[in-house]
Amino acid sequence: MAASSKLMHKVFKDASQFLKVGCRLQAQNVICRHASHFTYFKDEPLKEFGDTSKTNMFQAINSAMDIALDTDSSAVVFGEDVAFGGVFRCSMGLQEKHGKDRVFNSPLCEQGIVAFGIGLSVAGSTAISEIQFADYIFPAFDQIVNEAAKFRYRSGNLSNCGSLTIRAPCSAVGHGGLYHSQSPEAYFAHTPGLKIVIPRGPYKAKGLLLSCIRDKDPCLFFEPKILYRTAEEEVPVNDYTLPLGKADIVKAGSDITLVGWGTQVHVLLEVAKLAEEQFNVSCEVIDIVSILPWDKNTVCESVKKTGRVMIAHEAPLTNGFGAEIAATIQEECFLYLESPVKRVTGFDTPFPLIFEPFYIPSKWRCLQAVKETVHY
Amino acid sequence: MHSKLILRNLRAVGTAVRCFQSSCASSSTQLNLETQNDSRNSSAPVFPVDFTSKLQVTTERDVAKIPIYQVLGSDGRLTDSDQRIDVDEETTVKMYEAMMRQNILDGILYQAQRQGRISFYMTSFGEEGVAVGSASALESTDLVYGQYREAGVLMWRGFTLSDFINQCYSNDEDLGRGRQMPVHYGSRKLNFITLSSPLATQVPQAVGSAYAFKLAKNGRCVIAYFGEGAASEGDTHAAFNFAATLQCPVILFCRNNGYAISTPSREQYRGDAIAGRAVGYGLAAVRVDGNDIFAVRNATKYARDYCMSNNIGVVIEAMTYRVGHHSTSDDSSAYRSKEEVEDWDKSYNPITRLRLFMEHSNWWNEEKEKLLAKQIKADVLKAVAEAEKKLKPEISELFTDVYYEMPDHLMEQSAYLADHLKKYGEHYPLDNYKK
């Protein structure tokens, strides 16, 4: 680690001691790692899926890919640093089990990863690709929106790349700053031909990822990276799938509908609790699960019942997917609405490291919005 | 290893090219009109001149690998008695001190991260010679586009310990205003463009800056640093091709440290690595021992002169080794052996190598070494203690610099946040931020 190892060892040891003792007084200004901004709410798996075990989200994703490789001999898993298990450990042990030809590293090139995956899929393989961070997906934008999304349409269904799935960790993590925190779902939601899914925890992640891998259209699977380790619950050990394009009512209520996806679902569940305690308001919380195609029936039915709605997402306000949901609600539920559709989102700025606590749609910003909407 | 500095260019490979006459003649008038003001010769397509009746496939084995230029052996002695070193005692010691300062700063900030004092860190362990050696060969006005493991360039140019540490602590004196993760340094004063995390994006940007400097005839050179992993990105291809076709005086400096996070270079590229690509694009290339600070310095100096006088981009590939983990988010024991790392650190460490040279020259001894390490450690810890006392920037800075002037919708969002914090401020860490 250093030139004269012995001397340096001493330098670093002393420094460590100094940091521990000498700087303790200033430690209140050291706020590098924020505590999670949410409390995880566990899911209950369906009994029909059989035996379960305690599993976190990276393990659930690992299990889904393991099953895909077991049940489909044409399936391959690849991306940057996938071979040793991936930087978030999602592909751990898969190369050892399924071999180097089926689980492998790619060169560091996102456009290459997606294009290679399209080619695999066109030629009959099942391609499970990983982009290391959703923030780094943009070199592959052309391959995703002009190629993967349009392959079937432009050929009159002569060929397709439906067996392509692109996984990417997304969203806030507490210390990711500009380029390890973004939620880019809205860019892709503007592209017909893609399916986009964002799970809220391990149980959903496994079943939805298996659905994406087996779906006949190319899928983007965005995994909120803060959930990889913090989210842990009982997950069925066997093969199961969950429906794409179907929203979940995760908590029933009567006064206002709260809509979110990914990590934000847990923020909203806490907001629902606070609203009930603090001003006796009953919230219905919906996880839309699939961004594209999204389940407008479930959302609109709920809004017609409650008459009020708040949509919350981490991505910036302008042109965030909340805008699409809001527009649809005003069109479908206009006469049922008691107050304007409310959005609580990230601001229209890049995602800033040190201002993250203020940037994200925190439970307090959401709670204020619920209060204002109910008292409109 | 090779002790002679050789710059590979088109002529060195012996591929003669000239205008393919028949194409020249048949070019359309319109095309000629459009390009008549172009100072770059003819617009006609250019093909290799020779035809052959023999069907031959050229493989890797048909092309000689570019050797690694070296000045100092790992014993700290010149590899060749004819070698010349153009630095005196004072400059050599200055280079050594910069590497040591980088090394000790890295050690302490790495531990600060481990203790939860900063959120993230990336060390330059093992690669100090690459950054300091190349920086020492450039003019201070030359523009630098870095990746993230070239903090030594800033160290050489006079970025203070507080400048580094304030950035890592995201405090009010961070020049980047606390917005980016630690190690994303930048300095307008020191002609160092602020780093961004996406890989290789800076490489074609550097080529554009070099073109602007060429037009301005201001004598400034541009250097872009990138890793051998980033060299796989499409942007690096674009940079090589633009540098060649637009004849830009730019140094494209690849730090080949063997790993892109966990991915070994064997899975990153084949053929003659990164330098081997240069000639194919029409750029010049040199491969250098990155752990030999004099070799890096000589190569960079030569490349600078060459690209400035010939308007040809030069690719430098510095062969080195990432001794530390990729970052504090990485544990490299999951994909490489401890022995491998120790071997590189012991046998090929750039700091050790230069110290041995200085000792052989009677410029350095154990006492000076101890004194220097002690002084740097004290300076770093003092700067850390000061940085920890400082508050974070004002919360309103969340909204500034998105645009040159703040548009209405951001003013509204800023006002909304201020109002929210008035009502719910108790739930936020407001005391940590400047008022």
Side-chain angles (χ1 to χ4, degrees), chain A residues 199-238:
Chain A
R200 66 171 179 269
Y203 165 63
K204 295 293 289 184
K206 180 174 171 181
L208 289 166
L209 180 55
L210 277 164
S211 292
C212 284
I213 290 168
R214 292 163 181 168
D215 192 76
K216 301 296 180 206
D217 292 306
C219 294
L220 278 164
F221 195 76
F222 289 122
E223 301 160 5
K225 66 183 89 66
I226 199 168
L227 300 179
Y228 281 133
R229 287 166 193 272
T230 56
E232 197 176 46
E233 63 199 9
E234 290 296 317
V235 173
V237 290
N238 294 327

Side-chain angles (χ1 to χ4, degrees), chain A residues 3-31:
Chain A
S4 50
S5 308
K6 230 174 169 182
L7 174 66
M8 286 300 124
H9 190 69
K10 192 176 167 338
V11 167
F12 295 149
K13 208 173 147 199
D14 292 353
S16 171
Q17 209 53 34
F18 174 88
L19 286 170
K20 271 186 193 145
V21 182
C23 298
R24 195 174 290 154
L25 289 175
Q26 283 90 49
Q28 70 267 23
N29 284 336
V30 183
I31 48 157

Side-chain angles (χ1 to χ4, degrees), chain A residues 61-243:
Chain A
I61 287 161
N62 181 276
S63 169
M65 292 196 287
D66 189 22
I67 289 169
L69 288 161
D70 267 337
T71 55
D72 175 355
S73 62
S74 80
V76 292
V77 170
F78 61 98
E80 294 155 20
D81 300 298
V82 158
F84 92 115
V87 297
F88 288 106
R89 316 315 286 141
C90 293
S91 52
M92 225 162 41
L94 296 182
Q95 189 180 64
E96 288 80 352
K97 185 174 168 194
H98 300 280
K100 289 183 173 176
D101 291 340
R102 298 184 67 202
V103 180
F104 51 90
N105 285 340
S106 74
L108 206 168
C109 181
E110 294 78 13
Q111 66 192 96
I113 291 169
V114 173
F116 188 82
I118 292 172
L120 279 164
S121 173
V122 166
S125 280
T126 297
I128 307 166
S129 63
E130 177 179 306
I131 298 292
Q132 200 159 74
F133 284 88
D135 310 67
Y136 301 143
I137 203 168
F138 301 108
F141 202 68
D142 191 34
Q143 288 289 344
I144 297 169
V145 306
N146 277 334
E147 297 300 316
K150 298 172 174 61
F151 225 97
R152 187 190 302 282
Y153 191 82
R154 73 182 183 205
S155 70
N157 203 17
L158 294 180
S159 51
N160 71 85
C161 59
S163 61
L164 168 67
T165 300
I166 304 164
R167 298 178 38 245
C170 70
S171 304
V173 68
H175 49 266
L178 272 78
Y179 301 112
H180 296 82
S181 308
Q182 295 177 76
S183 300
E185 65 273 6
Y187 289 109
F188 299 98
H190 202 58
T191 305
L194 298 176
K195 289 190 178 172
I196 306 168
V197 176
I198 306 181
R200 66 171 179 269
Y203 165 63
K204 295 293 289 184
K206 180 174 171 181
L208 289 166
L209 180 55
L210 277 164
S211 292
C212 284
I213 290 168
R214 292 163 181 168
D215 192 76
K216 301 296 180 206
D217 292 306
C219 294
L220 278 164
F221 195 76
F222 289 122
E223 301 160 5
K225 66 183 89 66
I226 199 168
L227 300 179
Y228 281 133
R229 287 166 193 272
T230 56
E232 197 176 46
E233 63 199 9
E234 290 296 317
V235 173
V237 290
N238 294 327
D239 191 344
Y240 67 97
T241 55
L242 293 169

